[in-house]
Amino acid sequence: MRNSASGHRKSRVPRAGDAPSVGDMGRRHSQPPLVAGGRSSGPGTVRDTARAHGWRSDRRWAIGCACAAFVLAELAEWDTGDLSLLHTLLTCGIALVVLAMLWPAQVVAGEGWLTVRGPLRTRRVRTDALSGMWLIGDLACSLVLRDIHGGRAEIDAEVVVADPVLWHLLESGVHRSQERGTLRTGARVLTGLGRRVDGEARAILRASGLD
C-alpha cells in the first residue's frame, strides 16, 4: 500500500527562501546583531568592544609630518651642498623620532577593560576594578586610570568624550568598580566627563536640527 493510505502526511521541511506560513507570523524574531568575534549581543545592546575614532587619520597625519621633516631637511642639505649618505641616514633617524613622538595611541575598550597601544608598549587596565581615576592638565586633559592590580593607562580625555560607545563601556566599568567598593578617587571625574558627553550629544542634535 502507498504511504498516502495511512491518512498521515509527512511534514515538509522548510527551505531557505520559503515565505513564512500564517502560523509562523508573530513568532519570528529579528536576528540579534553580531559583535566583535562573531558573537551575538542580543537585541538593543551595545557591542562588547570599541576602538576610539580618529586613530587612522591621526596616524596619517603623523606619517605626513615625519615625511615632510625628512624632505625639508634633505632639501636644505642639498641646497647647501652638504648632502651625503651620512646626512641622509641622520635625517632619516630624525624623521623616525618625529614619527614616534607623533604616533597616536590606539585605545580599545571592552566589558571591564581598556587597552592603550602605543608605539613602544601596550598598557591595560581593568575598568571594573579601578582604584582611582584622575584628570591631568588644563587645556589638553589626560585621563589617568589605575586598577587594584597595578595596571595603569593614560588617554586623552577628548577621545572618550568624542566616542559614545567607548564612553559607555568605560562608564559601565567604573560603575562596577563603585559597586565593588574598589574605587576610592574619581567619582567627580566621572560626573564631569558625563556632563561633557551629554553636552557633545546635545550639540550634535542641535546642529542636525533634531533638538
Side-chain angles (χ1 to χ4, degrees):
M1 296 180 65
R2 291 180 300 177
N3 294 337
S4 58
S6 61
H8 298 282
R9 289 186 177 180
K10 294 182 180 180
S11 60
R12 188 172 67 88
V13 179
R15 298 178 180 178
D18 290 347
S21 62
V22 176
D24 291 333
M25 301 298 289
R27 293 190 290 111
R28 297 175 62 93
H29 300 281
S30 60
Q31 186 72 15
L34 296 179
V35 297
R39 298 187 303 277
S40 173
S41 63
T45 58
V46 180
R47 65 179 186 268
D48 61 349
T49 59
R51 296 178 183 271
H53 299 311
W55 181 78
R56 295 183 183 275
S57 59
D58 291 342
R59 182 183 61 177
R60 289 193 295 267
W61 181 78
I63 295 175
C65 290
C67 291
F70 176 80
V71 172
L72 291 176
E74 288 291 285
L75 290 177
E77 293 175 358
W78 177 78
D79 185 60
T80 58
D82 295 332
L83 185 62
S84 63
L85 178 59
L86 179 60
H87 284 87
T88 300
L89 292 177
L90 291 175
T91 305
C92 183
I94 294 174
L96 290 177
V97 172
V98 173
L99 180 63
M101 293 177 60
L102 298 179
W103 191 263
Q106 187 177 22
V107 182
V108 184
E111 292 292 339
W113 58 270
L114 184 141
T115 299
V116 181
R117 299 171 182 171
L120 299 179
R121 61 182 303 179
T122 298
R123 296 182 179 271
R124 185 183 179 94
V125 65
R126 296 292 309 185
T127 56
D128 57 356
L130 291 176
S131 60
M133 54 189 303
W134 303 268
L135 282 177
I136 300 177
D138 296 325
L139 296 178
C141 295
S142 296
L143 177 63
V144 180
L145 306 172
R146 185 184 296 274
D147 62 24
I148 60 176
H149 306 293
R152 184 181 182 277
E154 182 176 343
I155 59 177
D156 187 354
E158 294 298 328
V159 172
V160 179
V161 174
D163 194 322
V165 180
L166 185 65
W167 162 251
H168 171 80
L169 292 171
L170 175 61
E171 184 185 30
S172 299
V174 174
H175 285 323
R176 286 195 293 271
S177 298
Q178 292 176 327
E179 293 173 356
R180 294 175 179 178
T182 61
L183 187 64
R184 301 177 181 176
T185 304
R188 293 183 179 179
V189 174
L190 182 67
T191 302
L193 288 177
R195 291 173 179 172
R196 293 182 58 184
V197 172
D198 293 339
E200 290 287 338
R202 285 194 297 268
I204 294 175
L205 292 175
R206 193 179 301 110
S208 60
L210 299 178
D211 190 1

